[in-house]
Amino acid sequence: MRLTAPNVVFAGWMTMLATACAVSTDSHDPSDAPENAPPAPQALLAHEPYPDPSLPVATRVSQILAKMTLDEKLGQMTQPERASVSNADVTNFYIGSVLSGGGSAPSPNNATSWANMYDAYQNAATNTRLGIPLLYGIDAVHGHNNVFGATIFPHNIGLGATRNANLAQQIGRAVAEEVSGTGIDWDFAPCLCVARNDRWGRTYESFGEKPELPSQMAAFITGLQGSSLSASGSVLATAKHYVGDGGTTNGTDQGNTQLNEADLRAIHLPPFREAIARGVGSVMISYSSWNGAKMHGQQYLITNVLKNELGFSGFVVSDYNGIDQIDGQAGFTAAEVRQAINAGIDMVMVPTAWREFISTLRSEVQAGRVPMSRIDDANRRILTKKFELGIFEKPLTDRSYTGTVGNAAHRSIARQAVRESMVLLKNAGNVLPLAKANNKIFVAGKSADNIGNQSGGWTISWQGSSGNITTGTTILQGIRNGAGAGTTVTYNQSGSGIDSSYKVAIAVVGETPYAEGAGDRPNDMGLDSADLNTINTLRNSGVPVVVVLVSGRPLDIASQVPNWNGLVAAWLPGTEGAGVADVLYGDYAPTGKLPMTWMQSASQQPINDGDGKPSLFPFGFGLTYGAPPSRNPYDTIQAESFDGQSGIQTETTTDTGGGQNIGYINPGDSVYYANVDFGATSAVSVTTRLASGAGSGTLQYRLDSATGPVIASTAVSGTGGWQSWTSATANLTASATGRHTVYITFTGPGGDFVNINWFRFAR
Ligand code: BGC
Ligand code: BGC
């Protein structure tokens, strides 16, 4: 059945044609819901009360909801894919949201035609009885990656290696600007997956294998959403994929996460808690199952845990055709629609079968199998975000951002992110940094001069592809551009032409692009034979070889590393290959730390920090040039800048500095700070900035291990709240001079008892 378009012209709220207050449907009685067209448009109302921006959002939502027919409500909950929905469909079916799947782009693929497409959809959405704008959603997962010419940032695994939450936030802002410039309101990012098995093809979408890293990098959400959703250049963020996507057995994509509830909560839930604390607007459900039951049908985890327990007040969206998987058969049935909506999914990503979805859900509501209260709750959540975004007032593209797509400012942020994401794993004989002047450098490898390979999946197309797919600087170009006087750079992809006159050879090798599904590596996880041959050709010349690994995850290279002089994990750096060269030349000394434990062999998968399996390189490992920088204990040390920890988490603090504090600290936990240099004269006291919402206990400062000598103890009692901060000073009970790793350990009668924002020693 096709609905008829109401014959209303909408031209902004101030001049809208809309229904008079007489149109009201009893939204709690499905039998009243119209089967066909909504009531005909009635009198001209210059200004309905619900769009009045000065009213509280909740009031506006209630007012508009009271006027909506069942069909209008069903439309809000429906998200087709752009290729399957016309502008007229959007008007006729009151479609609430449209998405671009990976690689689904208007032609020509440039920022202006995206903005034009968006505006056309938005005009269609607002050209309806109630004039409700739509939300356009897209995967801008490492930059606005479907748009030709956009800045492509490192994939999340590289950002995890930076350990730099401020940078993640800055990138979030840059992405939001590029997305805004094409009109789009909503980003299906960040992925807060905790990738536990590197065989998983989405490992690169993970900030790291321990929940602390995705939690820390959830700062990306604040970058996307800005100081307020309605501010210009803000877009709605999505925490995905809820929950346990990175925990599947064998790392199988869309597989089964077999964990007891305590472990699911401990490993996979914390980043979502942090996302909610940061006000994330939407949460996307994972394709995976939890102990055999598909997440898309899990009322307990979606409604009870996410919405009720964690207090998530935004809306929940299903993944692409995700509801189809509940029963394991292709396509969706009425039972799956019912189960998904009743489980708490508010908006359904139904790329093609959206008409069938609307009619199925309508029947379920009319039969009383999906309560009207559930439909209203879903609409309330979706409409709240639409009002908060300010798109009722400004439905069309803010073209002042269109020129930011791929601009120099964003590329320079990306280059900085690339620099900080490089992890130096081996540097025998200090083969790095490369001399800039009077050097003779040979560059080889299939990813040396290949924007597609260095960008990985989710770039221009869904799975990504090799070659010249978008604008940027290849790693080779970066090396060439960085070369100083008297330096020659020779390139041959397979390494042929090298001879012993070269001073150094750089092999840029690794994985070719892939995304979900195709990226799983159930078998070998090593380099391909082309890469091994290239490296061998270089080695046979006798020239020292530095391997730059371009890959979405750690690879199985343990048997080859002894033959290499240097090794840099470059992850999937994106379009700004100059950032790789900056590190190779030492313009930026490496600071990246492994966000994943590096296997000795693929047979160890899954291998994660703390599981006792011997690694090739441990979680957190990363070399630099020269002596490691020391920390000055007489300056404030931010608690969240730790080098390692056990049992704690970071979270946003409202205390001075406005950054993060460490929290969720129980007796037996510990946290440490490396290379603290006390100098020749001992410290005499230490001040700890702490807060405590409960309990009591003691924190001990120790030297060099969690069981090392105690140099100071600070007793903690309740301060009246987890963000009620006080500064507590304790005198040292033993001397501290020279360079040490400082540990803070915790004892107490039990339970969470302290948050720490910073500490500082004095002498
Ligand atoms: C992916 C999601 C993505 C969605 C829309 C799905 O296949 O799992 O991460 O947001 O497609 O493109
Ligand atoms: C944790 C604190 C945290 C608080 C947030 C407590 O359970 O121990 O670290 O600040 O929850 O509400």
Side-chain angles (χ1 to χ4, degrees), residues 460-762:
I460 307 301
S461 61
W462 175 43
Q463 295 285 327
S465 60
S466 297
N468 222 352
I469 58 169
T470 191
T471 49
T473 305
T474 68
I475 295 169
L476 173 67
Q477 286 165 341
I479 294 173
R480 285 198 196 286
N481 296 343
T487 290
T488 58
V489 177
T490 305
Y491 167 68
N492 178 275
Q493 188 181 134
S494 64
S496 72
I498 190 166
D499 61 39
S500 60
S501 70
Y502 287 90
K503 293 186 180 161
V504 63
I506 313 287
V508 189
V509 297
E511 294 186 313
T512 49
Y514 55 79
E516 28 175 336
D520 288 2
R521 292 187 74 164
N523 304 311
D524 92 287
M525 299 183 72
L527 291 172
D528 63 23
S529 58
D531 286 343
L532 294 172
N533 290 339
T534 302
I535 295 170
N536 276 338
T537 304
L538 299 177
R539 282 189 56 229
N540 290 340
S541 68
V543 171
V545 174
V546 174
V547 171
V548 175
L549 207 58
V550 172
S551 66
R553 57 189 138 205
L555 296 183
D556 186 350
I557 50 171
S559 63
Q560 289 110 42
V561 174
N563 302 326
W564 305 341
N565 302 78
L567 171 60
V568 177
W571 313 110
L572 297 169
T575 50
E576 303 318 301
V580 178
D582 292 336
V583 169
L584 296 177
Y585 284 121
D587 292 334
Y588 182 86
T591 51
K593 306 274 178 232
L594 285 182
M596 304 279 168
T597 303
W598 203 292
M599 73 194 106
Q600 279 187 1
S601 134
S603 64
Q604 290 178 307
Q605 291 296 341
I607 175 171
N608 291 296
D609 191 38
D611 65 11
K613 297 183 187 175
S615 64
L616 182 61
F617 304 110
F619 177 88
F621 184 76
L623 304 170
T624 190
Y625 304 145
S630 62
R631 290 177 187 259
N632 181 350
Y634 309 109
D635 284 345
T636 300
I637 296 181
Q638 294 297 330
E640 68 273 22
S641 73
F642 54 78
D643 293 288
Q645 58 85 22
S646 170
I648 65 135
Q649 292 178 36
T650 57
E651 63 182 352
T652 307
T653 181
T654 55
D655 195 24
T656 42
Q660 295 192 301
N661 63 258
I662 61 171
Y664 299 93
I665 299 171
N666 290 285
D669 293 348
S670 63
V671 55
Y672 66 84
Y673 305 83
N675 297 306
V676 177
D677 192 350
F678 288 97
T681 313
S682 178
V684 299
S685 67
V686 58
T687 300
T688 310
R689 186 71 172 169
L690 56 85
S692 176
S696 63
T698 306
L699 53 95
Q700 298 86 20
Y701 286 86
R702 296 172 184 263
L703 298 184
D704 301 317
S705 90
T707 52
V710 175
I711 54 169
S713 298
T714 300
V716 179
S717 51
T719 60
W722 292 108
Q723 293 293 330
S724 299
W725 294 93
T726 181
S727 302
T729 300
N731 289 331
L732 260 60
T733 50
S735 128
T737 58
R739 192 184 269 243
H740 294 277
T741 298
V742 170
Y743 276 75
I744 310 178
T745 58
F746 303 91
T747 52
D752 295 348
F753 74 95
V754 67
N755 285 348
I756 304 178
N757 189 24
W758 51 257
F759 59 93
R760 188 170 56 227
F761 286 84

Side-chain angles (χ1 to χ4, degrees), residues 99-102 139 188 202 205 240-241 284 287 319-320 349 458 462 516:
L99 90 143
S100 269
D139 298 276
F188 304 138
R202 305 191 80 156
E205 295 188 57
K240 73 183 189 184
H241 309 82
M284 189 186 291
Y287 282 129
D319 204 342
Y320 202 92
M349 195 185 286
W458 294 104
W462 175 43
E516 28 175 336

